Amino acid sequence: MQQFVASCVCCKLAAAHVQQSSTTYRQSSAALHRQLQPRRLARIRSQAKGTKHAKQARSRLHIYATNELDRDCEKEDSRKYKRTVFNFKNWAAHRSTKRYSRHLLTILGSRIVRGLLRPLLIVTAVSSVVAMYETLLESGFLGLGAPSLSIEATAPFSLTSFALSLLLVFRTNTSYARWQEARSIWGGVTNRSRDIFRQALTFVPGNEPELVDMFKRWSIAYSKTLMCHLREEGDVKAELEAVLQPDELELLLASKHRPNYVLQILSGLVESSCIVSPERFRMDQNITFFMDAQGSCERILQTPIPLSYTRHTSRFLVIWLGLMPLTLWKSCHGAMIPVSAIIAFLLLGIEEIGVQIEEPFGILPLENMCETIETNLNEMAGNNSGVSYLIGKVNQQSWHMRHEWEDNRRRAEGSHGDDSEFLRSSRDGDTAARDNSFATPDLSGSDHR
């Protein structure tokens, strides 16, 4: 009986600590949700009135109302804190052996624990009820005819645990594959944004600086527009006020599919420039990659893992964990309550991580990637004058070398004026071949003489 009371007190203190630490997150999430909810409902209701698709809009309204009942504001708000970008100090701490003690000491403040607080409390409550009943039964308070809830046969749990582990492994592996694909796509968007602006700096004629600046602005705008397109809380106007000009931003906000609009602008810039065909084709390949990346992101966002897997895994876990205390009483007695809570946390945590990373755009640090693109493109634009200066020096040296070689050739021809026409034509052919070798300067600094 004393073990049972002590276990109940420990679990109650832990739950109170976790609940107190999550109060601030709940309040901020609820306030944000109250601001967004009227606008979403008004938009759906306006579509449900006076349109030829009123039936579909009313269906959306019903689905929205159902989803709002299941919405966990605290959990949704905490996703932004998972957008981590590592540096060298973070990697050093990540590899440190002290991570074991650090992670154990911060377990009560974990967002996974806060997100799983309700199911953990339910499992703990079931364990407490079973422990109380069995304690009263053993003490004789319930009489001799009262049945025991304890199950001595553990074979059903041993057999089903294998199937449960397979479901959890499938869930986490598939979710991680989606997360990894999304991260690779955005890595490609970052690289292609740098590349298309590098091509614009190189291939656009120097007498069109406004065209180069437009390439920079709209390349930055694409990544930020795509980020807002993939997130519920995205604000295009706030992200692009400092990037685009007012008239450009107004036209962009008037479009329905804004990433498509940005790609149309980039295609128009390539077409209107005086870039020759091979380079224009390479730039168009980058724009095509942007379109493919956008489609891949939309596919990940709009298509979850088949819902049957998620539903069956959740039902399996709830039933399995709900019946588990019945098999632990004989071996654990009062310690069954914390043991059940720990096992529930471990298994539910695996499933929770898989659900969280299934939709990766809310937890990927897209803001940092967009800032990286903007910083790199602005730096490339600022460095362009220095690059042009260095390339100009190389071209000037090549020009002097070429004229020096031509002067030496003329002197040699003057000293051999009685050569035959055949030899003179041979020298002319050699001269033409050498002139062609100077058409493209060698930036490695090699000597042509």
Side-chain angles (χ1 to χ4, degrees):
M1 190 69 179
Q2 294 178 351
Q3 292 179 351
F4 166 70
V5 174
S7 301
C8 291
V9 171
C10 293
C11 293
K12 187 174 181 180
L13 290 175
H17 178 79
V18 174
Q19 190 168 8
Q20 182 179 5
S21 65
S22 63
T23 302
T24 305
Y25 293 102
R26 268 202 312 273
Q27 293 175 350
S28 61
S29 302
L32 178 62
H33 180 59
R34 284 194 297 271
Q35 295 176 1
L36 295 177
Q37 184 180 16
R39 283 182 281 177
R40 296 196 194 102
L41 287 174
R43 184 173 66 251
I44 297 176
R45 283 169 180 161
S46 64
Q47 295 175 357
K49 296 180 180 179
T51 63
K52 62 180 180 179
H53 301 293
K55 185 176 180 180
Q56 291 85 341
R58 285 194 296 269
S59 177
R60 286 181 57 204
L61 182 61
H62 173 72
I63 294 173
Y64 176 81
T66 304
N67 291 338
E68 288 304 310
L69 295 176
D70 297 335
R71 186 183 182 90
D72 192 334
C73 296
E74 180 186 354
K75 186 180 293 185
E76 294 299 317
D77 184 62
S78 67
R79 284 172 63 84
K80 67 178 68 174
Y81 298 102
K82 298 181 175 70
R83 302 166 187 172
T84 306
V85 178
F86 264 38
N87 53 29
F88 295 110
K89 292 182 179 180
N90 297 129
W91 281 116
H94 186 69
R95 294 188 294 263
S96 174
T97 310
K98 297 179 181 179
R99 66 183 182 272
Y100 300 107
S101 59
R102 182 176 69 248
H103 294 163
L104 283 176
L105 292 175
T106 58
I107 189 171
L108 294 180
S110 168
R111 296 186 181 92
I112 296 295
V113 174
R114 290 201 297 267
L116 296 174
L117 184 60
R118 293 178 184 176
L120 288 177
L121 289 178
I122 292 174
V123 173
T124 304
V126 172
S127 302
S128 301
V129 170
V130 173
M132 182 180 296
Y133 181 87
E134 293 293 334
T135 302
L136 294 176
L137 181 63
E138 292 179 357
S139 301
F141 288 100
L142 300 180
L144 298 177
S148 175
L149 298 179
S150 178
I151 299 176
E152 297 183 1
T154 60
F157 286 87
S158 300
L159 294 175
T160 55
S161 61
F162 177 73
L164 180 60
S165 63
L166 287 180
L167 279 176
L168 292 176
V169 168
F170 172 81
R171 151 63 81 179
T172 52
N173 286 351
T174 308
S175 298
Y176 178 76
R178 291 165 59 88
W179 184 91
Q180 179 63 29
E181 182 183 3
R183 181 60 185 88
S184 300
I185 291 170
W186 269 87
V189 169
T190 303
N191 294 337
R192 296 288 182 140
S193 298
R194 296 167 177 158
D195 191 50
I196 193 171
F197 185 59
R198 176 194 62 81
Q199 292 169 336
L201 288 173
T202 304
F203 302 139
V204 174
N207 58 353
E208 297 181 354
E210 177 58 27
L211 189 62
V212 175
D213 192 60
M214 285 191 70
F215 266 110
K216 183 188 75 171
R217 295 200 304 268
W218 288 100
S219 297
I220 296 172
Y222 177 73
S223 59
K224 295 193 173 186
T225 305
L226 183 60
M227 176 187 68
C228 296
H229 181 67
L230 298 173
R231 284 184 176 172
E232 184 180 12
E233 74 275 10
D235 189 351
V236 178
K237 184 177 181 181
E239 293 288 342
L240 296 179
E241 278 182 336
V243 177
L244 298 179
Q245 297 178 357
D247 55 338
E248 296 173 340
L249 182 59
E250 183 179 356
L251 292 173
L252 175 62
L253 294 177
S255 61
K256 292 184 178 180
H257 200 294
R258 287 155 185 171
N260 276 348
Y261 182 83
V262 178
L263 293 182
Q264 283 183 282
I265 296 293
L266 289 174
S267 298
L269 292 176
V270 173
E271 181 63 27
S272 62
S273 63
C274 298
I275 303 174
V276 296
S277 295
E279 288 76 12
R280 180 177 297 183
F281 174 73
R282 297 192 192 101
M283 297 181 75
D284 189 71
Q285 282 183 321
N286 284 330
I287 297 175
T288 301
F289 175 86
F290 288 148
M291 184 67 75
D292 294 338
Q294 174 184 311
S296 298
C297 290
E298 290 174 342
R299 169 178 52 81
I300 294 174
L301 180 65
Q302 298 173 5
T303 309
I305 295 174
L307 297 179
S308 299
Y309 284 103
T310 304
R311 292 167 181 162
H312 189 67
T313 304
S314 300
R315 293 163 183 161
F316 201 148
L317 272 173
V318 170
I319 295 173
W320 198 87
L321 293 173
L323 297 177
M324 180 183 62
L326 304 180
T327 65
L328 296 178
W329 174 254
K330 291 294 185 181
S331 58
C332 299
H333 292 281
M336 175 191 66
I337 300 175
V339 170
S340 298
I342 292 173
I343 295 175
F345 164 69
L346 296 177
L347 295 180
L348 291 173
I350 296 174
E351 201 257 349
E352 177 68 15
I353 292 172
V355 172
Q356 286 290 328
I357 66 176
E358 180 183 2
E359 192 276 281
F361 304 109
I363 59 176
L364 282 174
L366 303 185
E367 299 92 344
N368 298 86
M369 299 182 198
C370 293
E371 290 175 5
T372 298
I373 293 172
E374 184 175 6
T375 302
N376 291 160
L377 267 57
N378 286 328
E379 184 180 5
M380 291 169 68
N383 293 338
N384 191 47
S385 59
V387 173
S388 300
Y389 170 74
L390 294 177
I391 299 301
K393 284 183 60 177
V394 173
N395 290 336
Q396 187 176 8
Q397 293 175 0
S398 177
W399 184 83
H400 285 300
M401 291 170 60
R402 176 180 176 180
H403 279 268
E404 182 181 355
W405 183 84
E406 289 181 349
D407 291 341
N408 294 334
R409 185 196 63 182
R410 293 191 186 96
R411 291 194 208 95
E413 288 180 349
S415 62
H416 298 84
D418 56 346
D419 286 352
S420 64
E421 186 65 25
F422 175 78
L423 294 178
R424 186 176 291 106
S425 63
S426 300
R427 284 195 302 270
D428 291 340
D430 294 339
T431 301
R434 293 179 181 179
D435 287 345
N436 289 333
S437 68
F438 287 103
T440 303
D442 186 0
L443 301 184
S444 62
S446 59
D447 198 346
H448 289 278
R449 288 176 291 179

